[in-house]
Amino acid sequence: MAQVVSKAIIEMLHRVPLLSACTQAELRQVASLGTRLSVPDGKVLIQQGRPGREFFMLLGGKARCYVDGTLMANFETGDFFGEMALLRRGPRQATVVADGGAELLVLGGRELERLVGTSPAVAMKLLQAMATRREANATLYS
C-alpha cells in the first residue's frame, strides 16, 4: 500500500533546490524514504570527527556550520548537508547546529543511494554541490 504524503510536504520538498527537477511521484518517494524531524535551537545535527551516517535536507529554519569551532557557513531552508562523509564513509568535516530550530528530512546511506538511483537530476545536483564544497574546503586547508 502506497504511503500517503501530504501536499504540504510535497511542496516543501519541491522548494529544496536539490529536488526541484523531481516529478511529483519522485517527491512522494523522497518523502517516504526519509524521516522528518523537528529540532530545537542549538541541537547539534552533525559533529565534526564523528562518522557520517545521515544526509540532511533543511525543510524549514536555519543551521550554522562550524569547522574547528569557526563559523564557515549558514544553511537556510532548501539547503542540504552531510552528504560528503556519508558517501565516502568517513568522518564529518564540520559541526552543524540548528539555529532557531529546524525542520529536517533525514536520509540514511541506503535511502540516499536509492534517491540518487531514482533521479539522475538529483544525482547530478548532488555531484555539483559536492564538487563546489570540496573546492571550498580545499581553500580552507591550503
Side-chain angles (χ1 to χ4, degrees):
M1 181 178 200
Q3 179 181 356
V4 176
V5 178
S6 75
K7 185 175 180 180
I9 297 298
I10 296 297
E11 290 172 3
M12 202 180 292
L13 290 174
H14 186 69
R15 287 191 297 267
V16 175
L18 178 67
L19 304 175
S20 62
C22 290
T23 65
Q24 295 288 313
E26 288 171 329
L27 291 173
R28 276 192 292 282
Q29 183 177 10
V30 171
S32 69
L33 287 175
T35 301
R36 285 197 55 227
L37 292 178
S38 295
V39 296
D41 180 41
K43 172 73 174 170
V44 176
L45 305 169
I46 288 177
Q47 182 69 49
Q48 186 174 354
R50 297 272 176 112
R53 294 191 177 103
E54 305 90 14
F55 167 74
F56 298 83
M57 282 186 262
L58 195 53
L59 301 179
K62 298 180 181 181
R64 298 180 310 272
C65 176
Y66 298 91
V67 175
D68 298 327
T70 301
L71 180 64
M72 301 306 291
N74 289 297
F75 295 125
E76 297 185 357
T77 299
D79 288 332
F80 60 90
F81 49 90
E83 77 285 352
M84 292 177 72
L86 178 61
L87 292 172
R88 62 177 223 292
R89 293 177 171 85
R92 300 284 191 192
Q93 299 298 304
T95 296
V96 178
V97 180
D99 182 9
E103 293 290 323
L104 302 159
L105 182 67
V106 183
L107 283 80
R110 288 186 182 143
E111 294 164 327
L112 180 59
E113 287 176 17
R114 201 160 156 210
L115 170 62
V116 169
T118 299
S119 175
V122 169
M124 182 55 74
K125 285 185 179 185
L126 190 59
L127 287 171
Q128 290 168 340
M130 287 178 62
T132 300
R133 288 181 183 174
R134 181 131 171 101
E135 288 173 11
N137 288 347
T139 62
L140 292 176
Y141 301 107
S142 56

